[in-house]
Amino acid sequence: MLLQNLSLLALALGSYAASVRPASSEVTTLDASTSKELLALHKKLVDIESISENELEVGIWLASYLKDNGFTVERQEVAKDRYNILAYGSKRDTTILLSSHIDTVPPYWPYYYNKTTDVIGGRGSVDAKASVAAQILAVMGLKEEGEAKFLRDDISLLFVVGEEAGGEGMKAFSAWDKRPQYDIVIFGEPTEGKLVCGHKGILGFEIHATGKAAHSGYPWLGVSANDIMAETLAVLLELRQHLPWSEKYGNTTMNFGRIQGGVAANVVAETSSAKIATRLAAGTPKIIQGLILNATKEIKARAQKDGGDLEFDWSGNGYPPVDIDCDIEGFEKLTVNYGTDVPNLEGDHRRYLYGPGNIFVAHSDHEALKRTELEQAVLDYRRLILQASKMEPKQQGAGKGSEQFEL
Ligand SMILES: *[C@@H]1O[C@H](CO)[C@@H](O)[C@H](O)[C@H]1NC(C)=O
Ligand SMILES: *[C@@H]1O[C@H](CO)[C@@H](O)[C@H](O)[C@H]1NC(C)=O
Ligand SMILES: *[C@@H]1O[C@H](CO)[C@@H](O)[C@H](O)[C@H]1NC(C)=O
């Protein structure tokens, strides 16, 4: 869907030129009525608890808000009581798709707005309901800005469920037989108002060691699953110093997030397990798997000889580093270490990632952002929309080449 009407586009860009981003210390230039609507929409979204798997209520409310504001709204069923929300103007296939997610991590924290500090907080206030609210107001504003009206009709909005828990919603959208057409996707996640040029990949996995229980006074009568686990983790501690890295993303990291084993101090442990998240700066999940299996194969062989075992469960999320387009002037650029829905949407579209708020507070008990960050995001999304709509669409297959890596 390339934009055809170039004279209208020139007009739209003219209006953009007049509102080039102010330095970050300056106040935003969002008009008072848009600001008021933005804050009210954001508050409502945060007020409705929507921890992953409980997105029904916020989705119903959002769908009716979008309908009331002139959008055509469709719901895509992802699972029982779980729906993605798709909204658009007069046509379903559009040049640009704006997308974010409506689920949050637990636990719920209520909304607050501190007028003294101008800080807005609560669960989801940053991740990602700030993006959701700013994207909607950005598009609604285009409708009012007469000359950019054609663009308003050439944009669709997608708000998915389950981003915080494996990306089920976006994966379902990606696989949808009724998925609409688009050339450019702008994803909303907290990026401190910068344009993200890529993020690390991930390999999540579990380790399961099994042994044989015995009285701790006679350990030779059993096989300790905890011993097997401890040896395995020691090898991984060493291995993680030597994992692939890249200039762009830095070092691959490996977090031992949860370790659990045995039942009591005086019992030889029968089972032991660990949950591990590896953030890939280079390489692929397959390469990392190979390194891990090779490094631990002797431990596994010994465990099996003793009547125990060591097994890896690779069924968690896995993808290589994700390169994202960031060829737009006037934005600061960065790379990030967290995962997003970007790799869950397959296709050769251009992709951008931008959103208000800071990821460092996103999953915390002090999740919050400044009102001005939220307002700036509306203006920035409009700039992104206008600038991105000028870009050539991706050539067929061009996305594949971006998965190069250095070891
Ligand atoms: C707003 O923040 C200030 C500064 O942290 C604090 O002193 C004040 O109590 C807060 N107001 C409310 C209503 O929470
Ligand atoms: C990457 O790891 C190396 C060696 O472990 C270390 O010296 C370097 O500071 C790390 N780089 C970053 C960006 O963390
Ligand atoms: C496999 O592991 C051994 C040590 O256990 C190591 O010497 C060797 O370099 C590893 N091979 C690969 C391909 O990683």
Side-chain angles (χ1 to χ4, degrees):
M1 298 279 114
L2 240 197
L3 288 169
Q4 301 300 332
N5 197 331
L6 289 174
S7 59
L8 275 176
L9 179 60
L11 274 173
L13 292 170
S15 84
Y16 148 72
S19 63
V20 171
R21 177 185 200 155
S24 54
S25 56
E26 290 174 39
V27 289
T28 64
T29 54
L30 201 64
D31 62 275
S33 74
T34 306
S35 172
K36 191 165 170 245
E37 183 66 24
L38 173 68
L39 260 63
L41 170 59
H42 182 244
K43 175 179 191 305
K44 188 69 198 187
L45 291 171
V46 178
D47 273 342
I48 305 173
E49 182 261 292
S50 61
I51 295 165
S52 305
E53 300 199 9
N54 190 37
E55 306 97 341
L56 183 62
E57 189 187 343
V58 80
I60 289 174
W61 184 85
L62 184 58
S64 87
Y65 177 87
L66 290 166
K67 262 185 216 149
D68 290 349
N69 282 283
F71 290 92
T72 304
V73 180
E74 289 179 31
R75 299 199 306 173
Q76 181 199 6
E77 184 172 34
V78 174
K80 187 175 181 309
D81 288 343
R82 303 186 70 195
Y83 296 90
N84 290 336
I85 307 290
L86 175 70
Y88 48 89
S90 65
K91 53 186 185 140
R92 201 167 181 271
D93 294 338
T94 57
T95 298
I96 298 179
L97 175 73
L98 264 69
S99 181
S100 190
H101 62 91
I102 51 175
D103 65 314
T104 73
V105 294
Y108 176 71
W109 301 104
Y111 175 96
Y112 70 84
Y113 176 27
N114 186 324
K115 291 211 165 79
T116 315
T117 55
D118 230 10
V119 166
I120 305 172
R123 175 62 75 226
S125 59
V126 174
D127 191 3
K129 291 171 175 177
S131 290
V132 174
Q135 288 183 339
I136 293 171
L137 266 292
V139 175
M140 277 165 42
L142 290 174
K143 186 170 89 180
E144 289 144 23
E145 282 169 21
E147 69 272 33
K149 190 172 187 302
F150 77 101
L151 257 183
R152 155 71 179 78
D153 222 27
D154 204 10
I155 297 173
S156 43
L157 291 158
L158 171 70
F159 300 115
V160 299
V161 298
E163 191 276 340
E164 299 289 5
E168 225 179 325
M170 187 58 87
K171 285 175 184 167
F173 179 75
S174 186
W176 195 16
D177 55 1
K178 286 187 257 162
R179 183 172 65 159
Q181 302 284 318
Y182 43 79
D183 292 329
I184 299 160
V185 184
I186 300 175
F187 293 86
E189 284 282 350
T191 70
E192 307 164 38
K194 297 174 187 165
L195 208 51
V196 169
C197 299
H199 63 72
K200 283 185 172 176
I202 193 159
L203 173 62
F205 64 96
E206 293 184 19
I207 309 175
H208 297 285
T210 46
K212 200 171 131 216
H215 191 288
S216 64
Y218 309 88
W220 55 85
L221 297 178
V223 177
S224 170
N226 280 344
D227 285 10
I228 298 169
M229 181 62 72
E231 281 184 73
T232 303
L233 295 178
V235 162
L236 294 186
L237 271 182
E238 167 60 21
L239 178 69
R240 77 180 183 188
Q241 305 300 316
H242 308 287
L243 292 173
W245 62 280
S246 63
E247 289 290 339
K248 184 169 179 181
Y249 299 107
N251 291 331
T252 295
T253 59
M254 184 185 276
N255 181 51
F256 300 170
R258 186 175 170 86
I259 303 171
Q260 226 177 353
V263 289
N266 59 358
V267 179
V268 173
E270 190 161 21
T271 62
S272 190
S273 65
K275 294 187 181 190
I276 296 182
T278 310
R279 304 278 174 175
L280 278 64
T284 62
K286 268 270 166 287
I287 290 173
I288 309 291
Q289 278 180 24
L291 293 170
I292 293 169
L293 288 173
N294 177 56
T296 57
K297 67 174 186 257
E298 281 171 26
I299 300 170
K300 182 180 171 90
R302 215 175 331 114
Q304 287 178 332
K305 190 166 139 277
D306 294 343
D309 206 352
L310 175 66
E311 286 171 303
F312 291 85
D313 175 354
W314 305 110
S315 60
N317 236 358
Y319 53 78
V322 177
D323 290 332
I324 303 175
D325 296 298
C326 61
D327 47 1
I328 301 243
E329 297 299 318
F331 285 88
E332 280 185 65
K333 317 274 162 81
L334 85 163
T335 58
V336 295
N337 295 346
Y338 57 88
T340 67
D341 261 341
V342 174
N344 292 330
L345 181 55
E346 289 179 18
D348 286 326
H349 48 277
R350 238 169 220 294
R351 43 203 197 172
Y352 296 98
L353 175 59
Y354 165 94
N358 192 313
I359 191 69
F360 296 136
V361 300
H363 290 188
S364 73
D365 61 0
H366 50 278
E367 179 169 355
L369 81 174
K370 298 275 270 186
R371 178 181 53 84
T372 49
E373 291 179 81
L374 190 58
E375 292 178 342
Q376 183 64 51
V378 175
L379 300 172
D380 283 349
Y381 276 125
R382 280 185 202 158
R383 279 198 305 139
L384 252 180
I385 288 165
L386 290 170
Q387 298 251 63
S389 65
K390 287 192 298 180
M391 311 298 290
E392 290 289 315
K394 278 251 151 125
Q395 295 310 306
Q396 205 64 9
K400 305 288 186 290
S402 65
E403 279 165 17
Q404 295 163 341
F405 53 86
E406 322 163 20
L407 285 175

